[in-house]
Amino acid sequence: MAAQPKPVRSALMDALQELSQDDLKRFIKELLARKVEGQPRVPRNKVDGKDYMDVADVVVSTFTEKNAVNVAVEILKRINGEVADTLVEETGGQTSQSASTDDMHFVDKHRGALIQRVSNIDSILDDLLERKVINQETYTKIRVIATPQDQMRKLYEGPLKAAEACKEIFYQILQKHEEFLIEDLKGKK
């Protein structure tokens, strides 16, 4: 017999408690930056300097229990996919997001892993510049960033938000320069 789903507020608190302090800060930043037409925004004063319990309360009270899991999973998938999956499981799959991950573009679905594992960033940037996904100014700004992880995050913040076509070109470039990584991620549906 399947386990009874946890209440949304409780499951969300558990999920946020699993995050490191840095990841909780990132969750809060992404929550504040989130702009979705027809959905409320979270006021900064409600979450700044708050702990995981307060943040969970704010998410539920802002988006209602019905939508809180969707919002949290959307953000958590970019930070820690395991925590996002656990939240979906513990709430009994009470999220429309869980069914739609197959509809996501490969580079969105594997965002976290790509940020952590792409190592050949210079060649990727060269190809993105050549294919006009990024311009010279963006190329120069990203090249001076210290770590490959931060360089990848910068790509996701800008050019990869632009259009599906940019994501598709990026994916093709990844297949060329990070062939084994892409094959590994394809095996992890």
Side-chain angles (χ1 to χ4, degrees), residues 24-42:
L24 180 61
K25 285 179 188 174
R26 186 168 163 216
F27 181 90
I28 291 169
K29 282 184 178 181
E30 293 207 22
L31 182 64
L32 289 170
R34 188 175 182 278
K35 295 178 189 171
V36 175
E37 181 109 11
Q39 289 191 4
R41 303 258 334 252
V42 174

Side-chain angles (χ1 to χ4, degrees), residues 29-74:
K29 282 184 178 181
E30 293 207 22
L31 182 64
L32 289 170
R34 188 175 182 278
K35 295 178 189 171
V36 175
E37 181 109 11
Q39 289 191 4
R41 303 258 334 252
V42 174
R44 179 173 297 281
N45 65 344
K46 297 264 189 190
V47 291
D48 254 359
K50 305 294 186 187
D51 66 14
Y52 68 92
M53 292 180 284
D54 293 329
V55 174
D57 283 339
V58 169
V59 171
V60 172
S61 63
T62 302
F63 299 103
T64 72
E65 285 204 6
K66 181 181 173 191
N67 296 315
V69 175
N70 286 337
V71 172
V73 167
E74 170 192 316

Side-chain angles (χ1 to χ4, degrees), residues 67-119:
N67 296 315
V69 175
N70 286 337
V71 172
V73 167
E74 170 192 316
I75 296 170
L76 285 170
K77 281 199 177 290
R78 295 191 294 266
I79 298 171
N80 185 324
E82 280 184 39
V83 172
D85 293 343
T86 301
L87 177 59
V88 171
E89 287 171 25
E90 288 184 348
T91 56
Q94 299 172 37
T95 170
S96 59
Q97 195 83 26
S98 61
S100 68
T101 56
D102 287 340
D103 298 337
M104 293 173 71
H105 194 284
F106 181 91
V107 299
D108 291 329
K109 189 186 304 188
H110 298 287
R111 182 183 192 272
L114 290 171
I115 287 172
Q116 293 305 315
R117 296 175 61 190
V118 165
S119 58

Side-chain angles (χ1 to χ4, degrees), residues 136-170:
Q136 185 64 51
E137 181 183 358
T138 303
Y139 174 87
T140 304
K141 284 181 181 177
I142 294 174
R143 285 292 312 270
V144 299
I145 296 173
T147 67
Q149 291 84 7
D150 288 337
Q151 289 174 322
M152 287 293 292
R153 283 187 189 96
K154 194 68 174 173
L155 274 175
Y156 272 100
E157 288 170 13
L160 296 181
K161 278 190 172 179
E164 286 296 310
C166 295
K167 292 176 188 176
E168 190 54 38
I169 292 169
F170 180 58

